[in-house]
Amino acid sequence: MSKAVRGHSLTLLREPGVGRGVPLYRRLYERIRDGVLAGALPPGTRLPAARTLAEEEGVSRNTVEAALGRLRAEGFVVRRVGAGTWVSDEIPLRRLQRAATGLGNGEGARTRWALLSARGRRVAEANPGPNEPPGLIFAASGSGLDEVSLKTWNRIVRRRARERSLELLGPPPPAGLPALRKAVATYLHMDRGVRCTADRVVIVNSTQQAVDLAARLLLDPGDAVWLEDPGYVAARRALVAAGARPVPVPVDDEGIDVGAGRSVAPDARLAYVTPSHQYPLGVPLSLARRLALVAWARRANAWIVEDDYDSELRYVGRPLAPLQGIDDSGRVIYVGTFNKVLFPAVRAAYLVLPDALVEPFERAKALSDGFTSPFVQAVLADFIDEGHFSAHLRGLRGLCQARRDAFLAAASALLPAHATLGPAEAGLHVALHLPGRTDDDRIARRAVRAGLSLPSLSAQSMEAPVRGLLLHYGHVSAEEMDAAVEATARVLEEEGCSHDP
Ligand SMILES: Cc1ncc(COP(=O)(O)O)c(C=O)c1O
């Protein structure tokens, strides 16, 4: 899916002295061309509409048309009437290489892309980079710590800092400080029903690092991997960057359709799944499907990466037992994170591995970044061991449930009836489904302009786009919820989504 460049400025045009004497159209043409050659406007990037460009640059529409016409003629962009202008996916490689070495055009244009190996390009291209400005309402990430937990956290930080312990100056074992591995194992065993002992826990910085390590250790280029469709884009990117062949497997109201996966790619090497709270649709994986998934992995000798990213936050009934707890064949790699329920910068997550994988993961972790900060690990171990983590989770659950209730009340009053909400029994977000032909990407772009983060469901889909938006209500206070939902309703209205189709 293309990415718009709205918000990025192409406006050197107006700077005094820049390109004086060069026609305006040519200055605009060169600016965009150089952006493409330097990799700042990667293939597939959508350019602003000609009208918008003309307004932003303070030039006439004819000037913009002349510049875009030349860019198209030279193959830098493709234009489709009524649809827009994109940076071409097929910029000739020689052009990029000439630009990279500064040869050929004499203007010193560089590109990062052409300097990379084929594998390097795959890695870099798998991640299109940040695509949202910070500070948007309904943004996915934020701190889960309230004042009380933050005070406790800081108290432990000060205490640990006073100790001046050499152990905390590092290096600790790459798999993590023994104290934290033990604390995590006890917590997971007691509270989450995960089968685990401390020596099977490996501490990493994030779920993302866990998936990246799993991809690099367990897959060869071209190996098929089942991915929930729609699913978590960041995990897909790590797997694709490692050379995996993504196989989209549809998700229905029982979670990933294991039968469909078996029929399209029975011999896949790995399945990445979010069974407790499917991301993004929010459905839990049914027991029948859990059993079928584990049975398939056993028969196919495949791995299951179980991303249990927010199962601590369940508002209805008891937390669901993890897949890992029903797997007797050691095929499940369980992944959890502190980055969501504590705060993103804590950079602490964990894998629970089958015995035989512990050492390879430890080695790979050491290779990729050495180890996770021992100081943070020690603080976190204390936070868990002294009971503050459980207390924090109880408080967070109450807070997020109140936010969820406020969100649901506001949504039923303010959002159009044909926009239906997915399950909201857990987690920090809910999917808002929109009718079949809605251009949800366009709505998402308009939302950003209105200060809202409402990622489209299409952007998380692979094969059969599900239309709708994701609303991360978890970081919006109950008092601000009505205004946030009202702003969402306005965006929908402006996009013609306010009444039944
Ligand atoms: C499905 C899913 N998994 C994991 C995470 C957390 O990732 P990390 O630990 O990499 O910060 C998120 C965060 O939004 C998520 O949506």
Side-chain angles (χ1 to χ4, degrees), residues 205-208 232 272 274 279 307 309 337 339-340 347 349:
N205 291 326
S206 57
T207 307
Q208 196 59 28
Y232 184 44
Y272 164 82
T274 49
Y279 193 91
D307 178 0
Y309 63 104
T337 181
N339 299 330
K340 281 183 86 75
R347 295 287 89 195

Side-chain angles (χ1 to χ4, degrees), residues 113 116-129 208 212 216 234 236-244:
W113 261 219
L116 303 177
S117 65
R119 185 180 49 193
R121 267 201 298 280
R122 189 173 65 220
V123 171
E125 282 168 5
N127 183 7
Q208 196 59 28
D212 183 52
R216 287 190 288 129
R236 187 206 310 165
R237 287 177 184 153
L239 291 158
V240 168

Side-chain angles (χ1 to χ4, degrees), residues 160 163-174 176-178 369-378:
R160 280 294 192 170
E163 272 174 22
R164 301 191 206 163
S165 141
L166 284 181
E167 189 199 15
L168 302 191
L169 297 179
L177 277 192
D369 73 346
F371 49 83
T372 296
S373 156
F375 186 81
V376 169
Q377 292 189 63

Side-chain angles (χ1 to χ4, degrees), residues 16 51 57 88 181 203 216 240 280 307 310 318 345 355 389 393 405 413 444 448 469 480:
R51 180 171 35 82
E57 303 301 323
S88 168
R181 296 173 79 190
I203 304 297
R216 287 190 288 129
V240 168
D307 178 0
D310 69 359
R318 289 184 48 74
D355 277 337
F389 186 56
L393 286 182
D405 294 346
V448 170
L469 303 169
E480 289 162 340

Side-chain angles (χ1 to χ4, degrees), residues 16 51 102 111 176 194 229 231 261 273 276 310 337 489:
R51 180 171 35 82
T111 174
V194 176
D229 187 18
V273 288
S276 296
D310 69 359
T337 181

Side-chain angles (χ1 to χ4, degrees), residues 174-432:
L177 277 192
L180 182 59
R181 296 173 79 190
K182 187 160 158 292
V184 168
T186 308
Y187 159 69
L188 290 177
H189 181 73
M190 301 299 285
D191 291 28
R192 297 286 306 115
V194 176
R195 297 179 182 187
C196 98
T197 48
D199 53 6
R200 289 173 55 195
V201 173
V202 172
I203 304 297
V204 286
N205 291 326
S206 57
T207 307
Q208 196 59 28
Q209 187 177 40
V211 176
D212 183 52
L213 292 176
R216 287 190 288 129
L217 283 168
L218 304 175
L219 301 173
D220 286 317
D223 281 348
V225 170
W226 290 7
L227 292 172
E228 296 168 326
D229 187 18
Y232 184 44
V233 176
R236 187 206 310 165
R237 287 177 184 153
L239 291 158
V240 168
R245 179 165 63 82
V247 175
V249 182
V251 173
D252 60 21
D253 54 10
E254 283 191 67
I256 186 169
D257 184 345
V258 178
R262 267 196 317 250
S263 60
V264 285
D267 53 353
R269 296 294 305 132
L270 186 145
Y272 164 82
V273 288
T274 49
S276 296
H277 187 226
Q278 201 275 331
Y279 193 91
L281 298 184
V283 290
L285 188 63
S286 70
L287 181 60
R289 295 263 177 96
R290 281 165 193 258
L291 295 171
L293 185 58
V294 169
W296 163 76
R298 187 176 52 237
R299 273 199 306 274
N301 250 345
W303 299 104
I304 298 172
V305 174
E306 175 175 24
D307 178 0
D308 208 13
Y309 63 104
D310 69 359
S311 61
E312 294 90 351
L313 301 174
R314 187 157 189 88
Y315 315 121
V316 180
R318 289 184 48 74
L320 304 171
L323 274 184
Q324 197 263 11
I326 57 170
D327 165 41
D328 282 326
S329 52
R331 307 306 305 180
V332 176
I333 293 165
Y334 180 86
V335 185
T337 181
F338 292 103
N339 299 330
K340 281 183 86 75
V341 289
L342 289 178
F343 52 97
V346 73
R347 295 287 89 195
Y350 45 85
L351 292 136
V352 180
L353 293 161
D355 277 337
L357 291 185
V358 174
E359 195 186 334
F361 271 75
E362 190 170 17
R363 289 180 184 210
K365 160 82 179 163
L367 205 57
S368 86
D369 73 346
F371 49 83
T372 296
S373 156
F375 186 81
V376 169
Q377 292 189 63
V379 172
L380 186 49
D382 291 352
F383 195 74
I384 299 171
D385 286 342
E386 293 167 17
H388 307 303
F389 186 56
S390 297
H392 164 67
L393 286 182
R394 276 195 301 279
L396 185 64
R397 216 173 280 130
L399 180 78
C400 292
Q401 182 160 4
R403 289 179 174 178
R404 179 201 70 148
D405 294 346
F407 171 78
L408 292 178
S412 81
L414 299 167
L415 296 183
H418 65 272
T420 52
L421 290 173
E425 286 157 11
L428 299 164
H429 75 271
V430 65
L432 181 75

